[in-house]
Amino acid sequence: IENRSRLAAESLALGDFGNAEGLYASCLKGPHKTDAHLMLGLAQAQFGRADHAAAKASLERLIAANPESRSSDGHLLYACCLEARGDTQGALNEFAILADSYPGEEGRARYAQLLQRSGRESEAQTVYAGMLARAKVAPRYYQRDNREWIDLARAQAATARQG
């Protein structure tokens, strides 16, 4: 199980989602059938293959089997599944929670983007402004690790000022 789960994680990191899904599924047997880490990996692989319904179902099974499990990445993935499946209100609700709890800027950035797509531009700009304020006082490693999302916030704020 250990070797297969490492290979699955490596396949996931390389974007080989089909192989990762098969490996994770093969690990979810016997005493490991409700392992939260393996179940999350399976959902990530399914999402990577754009099988959003399967990813959402896997996450729901993870939650049911491991109610005490708390994963920021799992919560973000669940919100992304809802958005991909067209459940905009459900995704907004989940992203709103992540905006306050996700340990990085991706949750806030995705929330702001969905707000924009939903026609809620002023709320999105408030989220972007908060991201930029946080980035200003954050340590360099945080700025480096969240560069993609901070750059997005800067670009959106600049566009709003011009518009």
Side-chain angles (χ1 to χ4, degrees), residues 29-47:
K29 293 183 176 27
H32 302 285
K33 77 177 180 185
T34 60
D35 181 284
H37 178 74
L38 296 173
M39 294 177 88
L40 177 58
L42 176 65
Q44 290 169 325
Q46 291 166 328
F47 190 85

Side-chain angles (χ1 to χ4, degrees), residues 127-157:
V127 174
Y128 288 132
M131 289 173 65
L132 295 175
R134 192 174 297 99
K136 230 180 238 188
V137 297
R140 286 183 194 247
Y141 75 86
Y142 184 89
Q143 293 175 18
R144 181 190 65 241
D145 293 348
N146 289 279
R147 179 166 317 283
E148 172 185 358
W149 308 109
I150 294 167
D151 288 348
L152 172 74
R154 280 190 188 109
Q156 292 299 322

Side-chain angles (χ1 to χ4, degrees), residues 8-121:
E10 187 63 26
S11 295
L12 189 63
L14 293 172
D16 186 358
F17 303 118
N19 190 46
E21 181 180 11
L23 287 164
Y24 278 121
S26 74
C27 292
L28 289 165
K29 293 183 176 27
H32 302 285
K33 77 177 180 185
T34 60
D35 181 284
H37 178 74
L38 296 173
M39 294 177 88
L40 177 58
L42 176 65
Q44 290 169 325
Q46 291 166 328
F47 190 85
R49 283 191 321 95
D51 190 348
H52 306 121
K56 180 178 177 281
S58 291
L59 290 168
E60 289 170 347
R61 282 191 303 276
L62 185 160
I63 293 164
N66 302 281
E68 74 292 341
S69 178
R70 298 287 178 255
S71 165
S72 299
D73 291 332
H75 195 175
L76 179 65
L77 183 60
Y78 189 75
C80 290
C81 285
L82 292 176
E83 181 182 7
R85 294 188 39 81
D87 182 357
T88 301
Q89 190 54 54
L92 281 168
N93 293 341
E94 296 298 322
F95 281 127
I97 294 166
L98 287 164
D100 292 330
S101 65
Y102 193 76
E105 298 301 325
E106 183 177 3
R108 284 177 277 282
R110 290 188 183 278
Y111 179 47
Q113 289 176 314
L114 186 54
L115 286 168
Q116 283 181 304
R117 287 192 295 275
S118 300
R120 297 164 61 179
E121 185 66 34

